[in-house]
Amino acid sequence: MSAHEVLTMGRIGVDLYPEQAGVGLAEVRTFAKFLGGSPSNVAVAAARYGRRAAVITRVGADPFGGYLRSALRGFGVDDRFVAEVDGLPTPVTFCEIFPPDRFPLYFYRYPQAPDMMIFPYELDAAAIRAAGIFWATGTGLSAEPSREATLTALRCRERTGVTVLDLDWRPMFWQEPPQHVYTEALAHATVAVGNLDEVEIATGTRDPEAAADALLRSGVELAVIKQGPAGVMARSRTERARSEPVPVKVINGLGAGDAFGGALCHGLLAGWPLQASLDFANAAGALVAGRLACADAMPTEPEVRAMLRPEEGNDSRERVGDHIREGPGDGCGGGTGNGFGGSAGDGLREGAGHG
């Protein structure tokens, strides 16, 4: 079988999202059930673009675990690396929905989430090495045995292909200062992705340019920094790009960062120019912010292209290959009353953007 184009590793769970917005959980009457977990969502997003995607993770030996495996297959994501862990329940996550920019998350991952019980000896090193893109997350580094398994997988890559570390800083999962762990992981990555809070944890600064410098010094070849209302910037040693926020009426910002990640993978695999990849990813994130779900809401390429398509008579955008790139004078630079208050890739605020 052909190697996977996108292979992710880490968190998975059941998202239970309220069908009533603007009220706390105590007042919610009904919930909708979805597949969740940032790297799992990224794999789903990549599969929506026709990419061969898989995720390395663990679920409980319970009905929710079976639901997640079935959901992955339904989205076209290979679940061969998803195993059951006896004695640990499949995690569930609740959120509250207060558009446009407040989406508190409540994780139920007790006593330990199965996806944190990945051991190094269980990894398929050949599959990890062969993947076009390997995507790991900061949550996977937060505790053992997942930490050593994640670092082992990153080392397996030997800096070949595209190896992404999504900084994915969630303080509730850490019992110790994370900086030294991030430093070790970044040494094996070629791409780093994070918002301002995440890059500050990894580099010690939230200044975007200084953080990009520090990430590039750490060894990565591309630093992608999500800056909320200031948009998204990306820098390599020879190139830089910036994508402005895309106005959208926000319903739930929690899946925006994962949509951004899957779309970024698609652009990198396609060999698009950096600016085109960034704009495409930013638009994908905005689309998902305008929808309730995360995995179920991931867009197709025609949907993202339609969002990037200029209005008739507006020549302020230029095409890059078959894809549209923001040009000077584009009207999407600032938020409006119904606009997307932060970068599409940022999930609108700290802690959001990953289901």
Side-chain angles (χ1 to χ4, degrees), residues 29-52:
R29 299 186 305 277
T30 56
F31 295 86
K33 176 172 102 290
F34 306 105
L35 178 148
S38 179
S40 300
N41 288 336
V42 170
V44 169
R48 295 285 279 183
Y49 303 120
R51 297 297 179 180
R52 296 186 303 277

Side-chain angles (χ1 to χ4, degrees), residues 47-75:
R48 295 285 279 183
Y49 303 120
R51 297 297 179 180
R52 296 186 303 277
V55 58
I56 302 169
T57 190
R58 301 289 182 266
V59 297
D62 53 32
F64 273 156
Y67 158 71
L68 292 175
R69 295 192 69 168
S70 175
L72 286 170
R73 293 192 297 269
F75 287 122

Side-chain angles (χ1 to χ4, degrees), residues 12 55-61 65 69 72 79-86 90 114-115 117-118 122:
I12 195 169
V55 58
I56 302 169
T57 190
R58 301 289 182 266
V59 297
R69 295 192 69 168
L72 286 170
D79 73 334
R80 74 177 69 184
F81 305 123
V82 183
E84 293 180 346
V85 177
D86 290 330
T90 300
D115 57 56
M117 299 301 292
I118 304 173
E122 298 173 324

